Amino acid sequence: MKLRRIVPSMIALLLACSLPVSAFAAEYDLAEGSVTVIATESGQTVTHGSNAAVPDDAPVIVQSNSETPTANTVTVKAEENATANVTLDGVNINTGEYGNAAVQTTGAGNVTIELDGENTVQSGEDYAGVDKDNTGALVITNTDEVTEEDPGSLTATGGQWGAGIGGGKS
């Protein structure tokens, strides 16, 4: 009789273990440090400030107190045959007149940037606001419904000799 009670529990456990696991999308606050995302064929990792890299297939980059620009940056590297996925949600980056790129993409793979909230990026001299230095595709999108609370917008300004989105001085 006890076996009858165990069998349904074991079946439920087996079913739960076989369900697909969703990728965890954590928030990374630019007010606490720059963010680097690296995508490879085997997955994606995020390094935030001086913290160790952690796996995250859908990082959301936010900024507390976004009324004040931060000089912290976002770097997204997609290796060949990989696609990096990042969400910008209400960031305000200004690296200063002679600073680096506010957002920079590198590598031979593709980069997709999802926009949530109002985002503003301003790079320093010779850099684009969103500096595309990867050889794959760069897709900037807003797949959510545009609302007053979530306009999903991006204002990108390059420094001297830099585009808003694209390249800088060669």
Side-chain angles (χ1 to χ4, degrees), residues 19-84:
L19 293 174
V21 177
S22 299
F24 179 68
E27 288 188 349
Y28 302 90
D29 189 346
L30 278 176
E32 298 173 12
S34 294
V35 176
T36 300
V37 177
I38 299 176
T40 66
E41 287 185 78
S42 60
Q44 184 169 286
T45 61
V46 178
T47 304
H48 183 213
S50 61
N51 297 319
V54 295
D56 192 334
D57 289 334
V60 178
I61 301 168
V62 300
Q63 181 183 341
S64 57
N65 192 22
S66 62
E67 297 81 32
T68 304
T70 182
N72 292 326
T73 62
V74 177
T75 302
V76 184
K77 179 180 181 182
E79 293 184 359
E80 190 171 7
N81 300 319
T83 298

Side-chain angles (χ1 to χ4, degrees), residues 98-161:
Y98 299 104
N100 296 324
V103 176
Q104 184 169 45
T105 64
T106 65
N110 301 318
V111 175
T112 299
I113 299 173
E114 169 75 21
L115 300 175
D116 289 344
E118 294 181 31
N119 300 279
T120 303
V121 297
Q122 165 79 50
S123 294
E125 185 175 336
D126 297 337
Y127 292 97
V130 176
D131 200 74
K132 183 188 182 302
D133 200 19
N134 63 307
T135 56
L138 170 61
V139 177
I140 300 174
T141 186
N142 179 5
T143 57
D144 299 331
E145 180 180 342
V146 176
T147 64
E148 187 175 326
E149 295 81 31
D150 181 14
S153 66
L154 174 65
T155 302
T157 306
Q160 184 175 1
W161 315 112

